[in-house]
Amino acid sequence: MANMDPGVLVTIVTIVVGAIAIVLGTAIPALVEGKAVVKALEGITRQPEAAGHLRTTLLISMALLESTAIYVLLVVLVLIFANPLLDRFLGR
Amino acid sequence: MKTDVFPRVVFTLFGIPVRDTVVSTWAMMALVVIVVVVLGRRRPMALEMLVDFLNDTITEVMGRPAAPYLPVLGSLAIFIAVANIIGVIPFLISPTRDINTPLALALVVFFSVHYFGICAKGLWGYLKDLASPIFTLPLEMISQLSRTMSLTLRLFGNIISAELLVAVLFALVPLFVPLPLVGFSMLTGVLQAYIFTALAAVYIAAGLGASSRDLTSSRKGS
């Protein structure tokens, strides 16, 4: 481990961190979006005449919740495809 | 795979590098213009239905008559929807795959929020509403910048993730397994166009200073 090539070490750390980040960053927003959908469905069953307005609000708020997962995805994509640290350690 | 998904420079025009997404945008614009001209000659009803649908949707989201904002918001919706699903045509790629295209669209939204706000309330009134208690001014500035960034990254992230997924699956199992995912990515593209337009409408309505009285009166009127 100590005499490992720094490029290999950075690559391994990047992959492991990316996997952990994408798991946490998609699971938590998915749970929260599920809560939002449940609440909206309860509202629709209670008041079916408000379904159109609730659907619009639900879609907009889910897009806002979804954006955190998208940020995580973009960070992981940058780490995997365009890692700035890897370029530094490989001396390019 | 990396070269399949991420944009690359095809040629330089007067020293400015032109990416393949820009070329695809030109092809897309020509396609949209041709389709609209042909539809306008043959089936004008289809265009009227499209405009009516956009008008109703934006009116419902904004809670006020959408007529002054329909040109910019409807153009955004049509542009993003066509740009997201044009990637399924061979030799064409989604212009939204390049992060500069969503950034340009989000900047259009950013400037139109201020433009419509100043048109509605005047320059001084708009600035005064922006900083009504003075200590909310930094928060307001941060929220303006972060909403532009989030509009950009949401559109770009959704499209690039669908494209990457399809590219990885095509590399693993050719042709038949990725086809449902291509259909799913088209659905995502249309949904993202709706969400981008709805969020732009919400931001413009917030910049206009929607009071609850406006909302209820316009809903009763409609």
Side-chain angles (χ1 to χ4, degrees), chain A:
Chain A
M1 201 70 187
N3 53 5
M4 191 182 273
D5 182 26
V8 177
L9 187 63
V10 168
T11 309
I12 293 173
V13 170
T14 298
I15 292 172
V16 171
V17 165
I20 294 171
I22 202 75
V23 166
L24 286 180
T26 50
I28 296 171
L31 283 176
V32 179
E33 279 181 38
K35 274 186 190 172
V37 172
V38 166
K39 285 288 178 192
L41 280 179
E42 282 176 3
I44 288 177
T45 46
R46 210 174 293 138
Q47 272 186 315
E49 67 272 11
H53 192 59
L54 276 178
R55 194 176 303 126
T56 310
T57 315
L58 176 70
L59 276 177
I60 292 173
S61 54
M62 277 183 70
L64 290 175
L65 291 172
E66 183 87 16
S67 58
T68 54
I70 295 294
Y71 296 156
V72 172
L73 174 78
L74 287 174
V75 167
V76 171
L77 281 183
V78 166
L79 277 182
I80 290 177
F81 285 112
N83 197 336
L85 303 174
L86 195 59
D87 287 352
R88 179 191 296 174
F89 277 110
L90 289 181
R92 272 186 286 167

Side-chain angles (χ1 to χ4, degrees), chain B residues 163-174:
Chain B
E163 301 265 350
L164 266 177
L165 200 57
V166 171
V168 168
L169 271 182
F170 261 113
L172 289 177
V173 196

